[in-house]
Amino acid sequence: MNTEIQKILKSKKFFIALIITIGLNLFYCWFVYNEENKSIESTKQYIAYTEKQIKELQQKLKKEKDDMKKRLYLEQINELNRIIQKEKLKMQYASNPKKEIEERARYYKMRYEISQKAGDYKELEINKVNYQILNENIKRKKYYSVGRQFDGWTYLLSQSYGIAFFIIIVLALLIGSGIVSDEYREGTAKILKTMPVKRSNIILSKFIATVLTVSALVIGIQIVFFIVLNLITDSFKYYDVYCNWISKYKVIGFKIYPVSDGVKLLNLLECSLLQLLTEIILILAISGAIMFFSTIFENGAFASISFFAIIIAISIFRQKILILKRPILKLLSLIFPWELSMVYTNSLPGEIEWIYASFYIVIGLNLLMTVIFVLASMKIFEHREKVL
């Protein structure tokens, strides 16, 4: 394994991967910093545009006779109203975080009481949990919100919205796509045949080397950026602030809702550790899949294209997979979940129904896929060795 890691570290691919990782993170920081510091005028324009959308939906709602479409319009109107409320609060309390947190707590308490009267179970659960989170922070005099300023906490947790997944894919393809296929292409696979080592150990060492390298690049650089940003903004002190991630869900059929009674609230430090843990699981699964294709093809480019095609197919058909009648087939939508925030966050009511909100299922399935890919790679490598 040490030999494989040294081989990777000495290669041009590793240097390119390092530059790409640092470059993508710098660009992401620049982009988010600029987005978080939009002018008040642009926020006003956004609110005006959203209010216009609400009026159009309300007009459609009045004319619509179909009950299903009416419910859809109502959900869209409610979601847009939440967005407007959030943006107005940002403008109103930009310089007063204490007042903002207290106002948000009152808002969610009000929404909870409304949903309780209306009998809207999902809204009831979500509003109660959000009120509980804010109320606990108020009791402890912790007036901090993720995203209010661009610090280490905002940087790390915002990576869960597809950014970390994209970086992992790029690095894993760059480092892992040729880790076995290059042995075929360069003819060194014949030399491996003469070595007194189990063929399965050769594949396993290559897999572990890929996982460790990608993990060091992705997570190592994330930690560096996280520390630097928190030092600059003096934000380490907010480690125990509760945010909108919770660790307990209950499953009703294949719809998942947060459990509002006795729910375990997660603070920023716990959320950050869970984010990194989820990334490690994803790195394992993706590295295993790339190893599998690298073992099949003698050309690393073909391995990359094949894996990329699988990712695109899963992304395109994920929504369609979720409406299948057979529950076992719905599990396919859990493979390589690109939006890691869905594992825990309860702040997106419209998306809480996604099956992969159940963390243990996500972890279990992706670890199982990792084992399958690695074992299949071993078998294919042993078979190809006999042909050489």
Side-chain angles (χ1 to χ4, degrees):
M1 186 178 69
N2 290 335
T3 306
E4 292 297 336
I5 293 175
Q6 289 174 6
K7 191 186 293 184
I8 292 172
L9 294 178
K10 292 178 181 178
S11 66
K12 289 181 180 179
K13 288 182 179 180
F14 176 78
F15 178 74
I16 295 170
L18 181 63
I19 297 299
I20 288 174
T21 310
I22 295 172
L24 285 174
N25 276 280
L26 285 171
F27 174 77
Y28 178 68
C29 289
W30 171 82
F31 177 79
V32 175
Y33 179 79
N34 281 283
E35 286 295 307
E36 292 291 340
N37 289 279
K38 284 182 178 178
S39 65
I40 294 176
E41 189 60 37
S42 64
T43 304
K44 286 180 180 178
Q45 290 175 1
Y46 177 69
I47 290 172
Y49 173 73
T50 308
E51 287 175 338
K52 184 181 176 182
Q53 284 183 302
I54 291 173
K55 288 179 181 178
E56 290 174 356
L57 287 169
Q58 286 173 338
Q59 290 175 356
K60 289 181 181 179
L61 181 63
K62 289 178 182 178
K63 297 177 182 178
E64 188 58 57
K65 295 181 180 180
D66 186 273
D67 289 339
M68 187 176 291
K69 287 184 179 179
K70 280 184 176 181
R71 284 196 297 271
L72 180 62
Y73 287 143
L74 278 172
E75 286 181 6
Q76 290 175 338
I77 290 168
N78 288 336
E79 184 62 27
L80 290 173
N81 276 322
R82 286 192 197 93
I83 292 170
I84 288 175
Q85 182 75 11
K86 183 180 177 182
E87 293 301 319
K88 285 182 176 179
L89 283 173
K90 281 183 181 179
M91 291 177 60
Q92 189 175 356
Y93 303 120
S95 59
N96 193 339
K98 179 177 181 290
K99 199 168 183 180
E100 178 195 0
I101 298 295
E102 290 173 343
E103 183 63 30
R104 284 173 58 197
R106 283 193 289 271
Y107 168 75
Y108 279 114
K109 186 178 181 181
M110 177 194 70
R111 295 293 306 175
Y112 169 72
E113 291 169 352
I114 291 171
S115 55
Q116 192 174 32
K117 290 177 183 177
D120 190 333
Y121 179 77
K122 186 171 68 173
E123 287 288 319
L124 178 75
E125 295 265 3
I126 292 166
N127 289 316
K128 185 175 181 180
V129 172
N130 279 301
Y131 170 70
Q132 187 180 349
I133 290 167
L134 292 166
N135 194 45
E136 286 298 319
N137 284 334
I138 291 169
K139 286 179 183 178
R140 295 157 65 242
K141 297 182 179 180
K142 297 287 184 178
Y143 305 109
Y144 171 86
S145 296
V146 176
R148 171 56 59 208
Q149 63 178 3
F150 187 64
D151 55 18
W153 305 110
T154 299
Y155 157 78
L156 189 58
L157 296 182
S158 64
Q159 294 246 326
S160 64
Y161 294 94
I163 306 302
F165 178 79
F166 174 74
I167 294 174
I168 290 169
I169 290 287
V170 171
L171 298 187
L173 282 173
L174 186 60
I175 292 170
S177 61
I179 198 164
V180 178
S181 58
D182 286 350
E183 302 283 2
Y184 299 138
R185 184 172 54 83
E186 296 170 5
T188 51
K190 294 179 180 179
I191 299 173
L192 292 176
K193 185 178 178 180
T194 63
M195 294 175 66
V197 181
K198 285 185 178 180
R199 303 304 170 250
S200 59
N201 287 347
I202 294 173
I203 293 296
L204 189 60
S205 65
K206 288 179 178 293
F207 169 71
I208 293 173
T210 303
V211 169
L212 291 177
T213 306
V214 175
S215 298
L217 284 170
V218 175
I219 296 174
I221 290 175
Q222 279 181 345
I223 291 172
V224 171
F225 274 75
F226 168 77
I227 292 171
V228 171
L229 287 169
N230 271 347
L231 286 173
I232 292 171
T233 57
D234 188 27
S235 298
F236 277 114
K237 59 188 177 185
Y238 301 123
Y239 72 95
D240 59 343
V241 172
Y242 293 123
C243 68
N244 63 344
W245 288 25
I246 59 177
S247 68
K248 195 175 180 183
Y249 284 82
K250 60 183 173 185
V251 182
I252 304 172
F254 263 82
K255 291 186 177 181
I256 295 155
Y257 302 98
V259 180
S260 59
D261 296 322
V263 69
K264 165 89 167 90
L265 303 181
L266 300 175
N267 60 42
L268 288 173
L269 179 60
E270 290 171 324
C271 292
S272 300
L273 292 174
L274 288 169
Q275 161 73 11
L276 297 177
L277 172 63
T278 311
E279 287 180 12
I280 290 171
I281 299 300
L282 194 56
I283 289 169
L284 284 167
I286 290 174
S287 297
I290 292 173
M291 172 74 67
F292 173 74
F293 287 110
S294 182
T295 309
I296 293 175
F297 297 103
E298 293 187 11
N299 191 319
F302 290 156
S304 299
I305 292 168
S306 301
F307 174 75
F308 199 62
I310 294 294
I311 292 294
I312 292 174
I314 291 173
S315 300
I316 291 173
F317 295 108
R318 194 184 299 276
Q319 286 278 10
K320 293 182 179 180
I321 290 170
L322 284 171
I323 63 174
L324 294 174
K325 292 183 179 180
R326 292 181 179 272
I328 192 67
L329 294 177
K330 291 186 178 184
L331 291 174
L332 295 173
S333 65
L334 299 172
I335 301 171
F336 312 133
W338 67 272
E339 197 161 0
L340 306 181
S341 60
M342 288 302 179
V343 173
Y344 287 100
T345 185
N346 72 87
S347 64
L348 302 174
E351 300 183 36
I352 217 68
E353 296 178 12
W354 281 79
I355 179 176
Y356 58 87
S358 180
F359 177 68
Y360 299 108
I361 299 176
V362 174
I363 296 299
L365 182 64
N366 281 278
L367 285 177
L368 176 62
M369 293 303 299
T370 303
V371 172
I372 292 171
F373 281 130
V374 173
L375 290 177
S377 299
M378 290 176 180
K379 290 295 181 183
I380 293 169
F381 186 71
E382 288 175 2
H383 173 73
R384 295 201 63 170
E385 187 189 47
K386 293 175 183 177
V387 177
L388 290 173

